[in-house]
Amino acid sequence: MRFDAILRVATKIFLPLVLLFGLYVQFHGDYGPGGGFQAGVIVAAGFILYGLIYGLSALTRIVPPWLVETMVPLGVAIYAGTGVAGWLTGGNFLDYSRLREDVHLAQETGVFLVELGVLITVSSTMLAIFYAFAGRDRS
Amino acid sequence: MNLVGTLNEFVGHYNQWIVIFLMVAGLYVVVARGNMIKKLIGLSLFQTSVYLLYISPGKLLGGTAPIIAEGFTVYSDPLPHVLILTAIVVGVATLALGLALVVRINEAYGTIEEDEIFSRNDQD
Amino acid sequence: MAEATIFNAEALFNMALLTGLAVLTFGIARLRNLFGVVVLASIYSFLMATVLVVLDAVDVAMTEASVGAGVSAVLLLSALHLTRMEEAKPMRSTLLPLFVAGVTGAVLVWGTLDLPDFGDPTQPIHAAGPDYLERTVPETGIANAVTSTLASYRGFDTLGETTVIFTAGIAVLVLLKRGTRRRNPKPGEGGDAL
């Protein structure tokens, strides 16, 4: 697809919109349909689209493999760290109600952090899997 | 039983019957087909039937999505949605794992057909 | 209970979409060209997402549309590219699997006759759901009950699911990344990885 002008231009227009929609789905998840799982897959799908049209080397310039492989455990660490923060503030594991003074604010902070962890792990895992398949030679 | 009663019985169980059809179709593909990618697609079929099995009892006729808003009182059950939402993403991660195994098998044996792999193992 | 289910537009629309799913499943099981199978599976996922919207599971529908039709189709196609597109003819008869599937299906259908009807509000699954719906806004201030249940009430489950995704990702990297060394093997250690 190296010389297909329509696909290349359309991808350039679509990529920021897909990423914006992914962020909207992530941060609007408290009030509408959405959350870390959906947003993670949408963000990864945007990057995969770019990689399919422009080639793997162009994609690895935007998102280098080492960054992806660091983000896979980072998301789980953020999630588990939010749980540990519940311990440190005197509650149970994954108890957000003491993270801030106001209970609603504390719950929303906890949910935000947890969803962020999910977003990071899901999107980077999908990208890492795509890299692993696409970077392999045909035997 | 009158006609309306029979039809109601049909409509009331149609979801479950479709779930069962998708489930046994997935089972058939996994058992009958030798191609490993086809087997994985069969497993996915089986998996999607389970999504439907969980979600469809949570639906209430005349209800709406479980997002609390003024003017609505009937919502579908959020708990199965939570379970299935995570299961879908876990499902694609495990599908990728299965495909990675298939790619490695193809590199080792030169084929992804079950019968050919078995016959090659018997020769050794 | 529910005298007028057959005149309910939601139930009928749902039935029509489900029939489409069954027809697609038939095509997926029959077709031998794996590229065609992947395309059909993609359409199947979109149709499944529509069914989920009709069933008021919007969060799940969004996930299914992006995962099933997007990412898993890409993964299946890349695996096909690394292997082969056409499925071989089976050496054995398919009568026995067909019989096993048919008997299993018949037993399961017999079991459904005792299950509650579609949309019945008195069935046991609705025992816990209203509890989450009532508590979500007063306790967490989050309007979407799915998000509050996922991240707060059942946060432990979701931590487990995230760990499973992490583990599957690592396993794929272990399986596929190691072999890339074979392209320019060092003398003495190349090629014996498999």
Side-chain angles (χ1 to χ4, degrees):
Chain A
M1 292 187 207
R2 197 127 293 201
F3 302 107
D4 199 325
I6 295 175
L7 283 177
R8 292 170 75 91
V9 173
T11 307
K12 274 212 166 137
I13 298 171
F14 266 118
L15 181 65
L17 292 177
V18 171
L19 295 183
L20 192 66
F21 182 64
L23 291 178
Y24 166 76
V25 167
Q26 166 80 14
F27 295 118
H28 203 256
D30 290 4
Y31 312 103
F37 285 97
Q38 295 94 321
V41 177
I42 290 170
V43 167
F47 283 119
I48 289 174
L49 171 70
Y50 187 83
L52 286 176
I53 303 295
Y54 283 86
L56 195 62
S57 55
L59 181 57
T60 49
R61 273 206 299 281
I62 307 181
V63 195
W66 65 263
L67 180 68
V68 171
E69 281 161 28
T70 320
M71 276 162 64
V72 174
L74 179 70
V76 180
I78 290 177
Y79 200 134
T82 313
V84 173
W87 265 340
L88 295 179
T89 51
N92 287 321
F93 189 66
L94 287 171
D95 180 2
Y96 318 132
S97 47
R98 290 187 185 77
L99 291 179
R100 303 275 280 271
E101 291 80 39
D102 182 53
V103 177
H104 285 186
L105 208 58
Q107 284 285 342
E108 280 177 18
T109 311
V111 169
F112 175 83
L113 287 172
V114 159
E115 295 273 15
L116 188 70
V118 172
L119 168 82
I120 291 174
T121 291
V122 170
S123 60
S124 59
T125 305
M126 294 299 148
L127 263 184
I129 291 170
F130 176 70
Y131 279 169
F133 276 97
R136 208 160 174 88
D137 282 342
R138 206 170 171 168
S139 56
Chain B
M1 201 193 282
N2 59 356
L3 182 67
V4 174
T6 318
L7 278 176
N8 262 340
E9 187 84 353
F10 183 72
V11 175
H13 290 304
Y14 194 71
N15 272 38
Q16 295 150 3
W17 294 340
I18 290 290
V19 166
I20 290 167
F21 177 72
L22 301 183
M23 205 176 263
V24 295
L27 181 71
Y28 168 78
V29 172
V30 172
V31 177
R33 293 309 184 86
N35 186 294
M36 292 193 169
I37 290 184
K38 193 70 181 270
K39 271 182 197 289
L40 284 173
I41 292 172
L43 270 181
S44 301
L45 274 182
F46 201 109
Q47 207 173 14
T48 44
S49 81
V50 178
Y51 304 160
L52 211 53
L53 179 70
Y54 266 66
I55 299 288
S56 62
K59 163 79 180 161
L60 288 172
L61 291 175
T64 183
I67 298 167
I68 311 294
E70 274 185 46
F72 296 100
T73 49
V74 183
Y75 300 100
S76 56
D77 192 343
L79 191 53
H81 298 186
V82 173
L83 300 176
I84 296 309
L85 179 87
T86 51
I88 290 177
V89 183
V90 169
V92 73
T94 48
L95 173 73
L97 181 57
L99 288 173
L101 285 169
V102 170
V103 167
R104 294 287 290 201
I105 288 171
N106 185 52
E107 284 170 5
Y109 287 90
T111 177
I112 52 170
E113 299 290 337
E114 202 180 52
D115 299 327
E116 292 171 23
I117 292 170
F118 285 154
S119 64
R120 193 151 316 172
N121 274 345
D122 290 341
Q123 285 166 14
D124 294 343
Chain C
M1 186 58 247
E3 305 87 15
T5 323
I6 53 163
F7 304 117
N8 187 294
E10 277 183 299
L12 291 181
F13 197 55
N14 178 40
M15 282 174 69
L17 289 170
L18 288 173
T19 312
L21 272 184
V23 173
L24 269 178
T25 310
F26 200 71
I28 291 173
R30 293 282 304 170
L31 204 61
R32 285 204 181 280
N33 184 319
L34 290 173
F35 186 83
V37 169
V38 174
V39 173
L40 280 186
S42 210
I43 301 171
Y44 175 94
S45 284
F46 261 125
L47 206 56
M48 178 63 92
T50 319
V51 171
L52 292 171
V53 171
V54 175
L55 294 176
D56 289 337
V58 282
D59 286 272
V60 190
M62 191 183 260
T63 319
E64 174 69 19
S66 51
V67 166
V71 173
S72 68
V74 169
L75 292 179
L76 282 167
L77 286 180
S78 50
L80 281 185
H81 172 74
L82 293 172
T83 54
R84 60 166 115 150
M85 289 282 176
E86 201 68 28
E87 191 183 347
K89 288 237 182 266
M91 294 181 188
R92 285 163 290 154
S93 156
T94 58
L95 279 178
L96 182 65
L98 209 58
F99 177 73
V100 170
V103 170
T104 315
V107 170
L108 288 173
V109 166
W110 179 57
T112 60
L113 297 179
D114 281 342
L115 286 181
D117 281 353
F118 175 65
D120 183 356
T122 56
Q123 53 187 313
I125 193 171
H126 290 298
D131 187 43
Y132 289 113
L133 289 167
E134 279 165 19
R135 282 162 59 187
T136 176
V137 172
E139 284 187 4
T140 64
I142 294 169
N144 187 350
V146 175
T147 300
S148 66
T149 312
L150 181 111
S152 187
Y153 293 119
R154 289 185 162 251
F156 217 87
D157 283 17
T158 313
L159 177 60
E161 306 272 16
T162 316
T163 316
V164 172
I165 294 167
F166 161 76
T167 315
I170 296 295
V172 171
L173 290 183
V174 168
L175 279 168
L176 291 186
K177 274 256 164 168
R178 246 181 63 201
T180 48
R181 257 187 271 147
R182 284 199 328 161
R183 255 186 255 165
N184 40 7
K186 283 179 194 154
E189 63 165 3
D192 53 357
L194 284 171

